[in-house]
């Protein structure tokens, strides 16, 4: 600011007041309004981020949509390459060709509710459950909970692949 460079603000922002008490929320809002009043542009990532800035009275003319971008070229493979890679990965993970694979990709955090897959599978017939493999691609604090939940759904096989960067996908 001292050198008069414009400041553009881009980060994941959202309002989840359920996790913070009224006093802390008021103090946080005051602090953020102070910072935001000294910012030239806000590059919001998604709808929740935009709503956060609007709630804190950021003028519309300072808001610019800036969603995440992914280089999709590595994912554009021909069918034969996909088939070969799929077979190799199934062999590596000990998944049969006729098994049904359900993939959860993301942080293992409450907001993403990764254990809902196992809850849903519990109500399906046992024959179907025996054919299912759930792959969890990601890490997070709920992994131990999911391990416990998977023991309550013993017919479904659960595999944790951990965090994988984009080049490994």
């Amino acid at each position: 600011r001292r050198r008069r460079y414009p400041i553009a603000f881009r980060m994941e922002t959202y309002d989840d007041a359920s996790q913070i008490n009224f006093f802390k929320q008021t103090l946080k809002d005051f602090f953020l309004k102070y910072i935001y009043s000294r910012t030239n542009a806000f590059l919001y990532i998604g709808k929740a981020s935009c709503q956060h800035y609007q709630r804190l009275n950021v003028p519309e003319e300072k808001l610019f949509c800036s969603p995440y971008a992914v280089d999709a070229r590595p994912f554009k493979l021909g069918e034969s390459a996909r088939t070969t890679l799929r077979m190799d990965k199934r062999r590596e993970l000990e998944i049969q060709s006729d098994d049904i694979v359900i993939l959860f990709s993301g942080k293992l955090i409450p907001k993403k509710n990764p254990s809902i897959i196992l809850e849903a599978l519990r109500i399906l017939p046992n024959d179907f459950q025996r054919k299912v493999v759930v792959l969890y691609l990601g890490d997070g604090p709920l992994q131990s909970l999911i391990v416990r939940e998977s023991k309550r759904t013993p017919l479904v096989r659960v595999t944790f692949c951990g965090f994988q960067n984009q080049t490994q996908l």
Side-chain angles (χ1 to χ4, degrees), residues 114-155:
S115 61
I116 197 168
I117 296 168
L118 297 174
E119 292 173 29
L121 288 169
R122 259 187 230 115
I123 64 173
L124 297 173
N126 289 352
D127 290 343
F128 183 83
Q129 288 185 35
R130 283 186 184 89
K131 294 180 178 182
V132 174
V133 178
V134 180
L135 297 180
Y136 283 96
L137 187 64
D139 289 320
L142 293 184
Q143 183 167 337
S144 59
L145 171 73
I146 297 166
V147 168
R148 285 193 306 274
E149 288 290 314
S150 70
K151 291 176 181 160
R152 291 183 52 217
T153 316
L155 301 176

Side-chain angles (χ1 to χ4, degrees), residues 16-141:
D16 189 3
S18 66
Q19 295 183 5
I20 192 168
N21 70 39
F22 176 78
F23 176 74
K24 286 182 181 178
Q25 185 66 52
T26 303
L27 189 61
K28 179 180 172 184
D29 286 353
F30 177 79
F31 178 72
L32 289 174
K33 283 180 180 180
Y34 175 79
I35 291 171
Y36 293 173
S37 70
R38 286 150 178 72
T39 304
N40 302 88
F42 298 84
L43 309 171
Y44 63 89
I45 294 165
K47 181 178 165 185
S49 184
C50 184
Q51 289 170 342
H52 164 81
Y53 293 129
Q54 290 170 333
R55 184 182 66 78
L56 293 174
N57 302 320
V58 171
E60 287 291 324
E61 63 270 10
K62 289 187 174 187
L63 296 175
F64 301 91
C65 184
S66 178
Y68 287 121
V70 174
D71 180 3
R73 286 177 294 183
F75 302 105
K76 292 182 180 178
L77 300 172
E79 187 58 36
S80 63
R82 276 197 303 273
T83 300
T84 301
L85 288 171
R86 185 180 303 120
M87 288 180 347
D88 291 346
K89 186 52 75 173
R90 280 179 175 260
R91 202 170 14 260
E92 178 186 327
L93 296 172
E94 299 178 5
I95 299 171
Q96 301 302 313
S97 61
D98 60 340
D99 285 338
I100 298 166
V101 177
I102 298 175
L103 173 68
F104 175 92
S105 179
K107 292 179 185 175
L108 305 178
I109 57 175
K111 177 178 153 184
K112 300 201 177 197
N113 197 6
S115 61
I116 197 168
I117 296 168
L118 297 174
E119 292 173 29
L121 288 169
R122 259 187 230 115
I123 64 173
L124 297 173
N126 289 352
D127 290 343
F128 183 83
Q129 288 185 35
R130 283 186 184 89
K131 294 180 178 182
V132 174
V133 178
V134 180
L135 297 180
Y136 283 96
L137 187 64
D139 289 320

